[in-house]
Amino acid sequence: MILGALPGDPKTVALGLGLLALGPLIYVGWRRPVILVVLLLLAVSVPLEISVSRPVEGTVAIADIASFGLIALVGIRALLRPGRSVPPLLATLLAGGLIASALSAYFAADGLAGLAGLVRFAQMMVFVPLATYLAIDSREDQRLFLAALIVLGLI
């Protein structure tokens, strides 16, 4: 194991290496955000999870962390570099799904589970597709995205 050869706690070393990789990822993602979308698609195929104990017990998948990073970076980029708008039909469909999910969460028997479902739905069905739409700038980006989808389908 590579991390075992490095001095220190393996979790601390892994966290440090991960933080070290963030700089180039942010730079590349800012210039060509479709690469972050491709990395997110690849992260979906990796069944790696991180255990958390606070504030609640559970696990967080690497794909979840990557999706929040993609949403944040593409959202900030869209605010600072306006140029591509969301078509009204797409905005209406995404907003409708979000409103329906919010109503479902509100009327759920278990409010906390309903809220967790709302956050998960919003992440996977509204914000990631919207970030993907905003990340694809050219025909070359479309080809790269479609190639990544095909590879994900073959895995």
Side-chain angles (χ1 to χ4, degrees), residues 49-105:
E49 295 181 339
I50 300 170
S51 296
V52 291
S53 59
R54 293 186 187 133
V56 293
E57 294 289 328
T59 57
V60 178
I62 296 297
D64 290 330
I65 298 169
S67 70
F68 284 118
L70 171 72
I71 292 165
L73 188 70
V74 171
I76 292 169
R77 184 176 183 262
L79 288 174
L80 295 178
R81 298 170 73 180
R84 184 163 187 196
S85 62
V86 179
L89 178 62
L90 178 63
T92 303
L93 289 173
L94 294 175
L98 192 58
I99 290 169
S101 181
L103 287 172
S104 175

Side-chain angles (χ1 to χ4, degrees), residues 106-123:
Y106 180 75
F107 291 111
D110 182 5
L112 192 56
L115 182 61
L118 171 65
V119 169
R120 184 73 168 168
F121 177 85
Q123 171 196 359

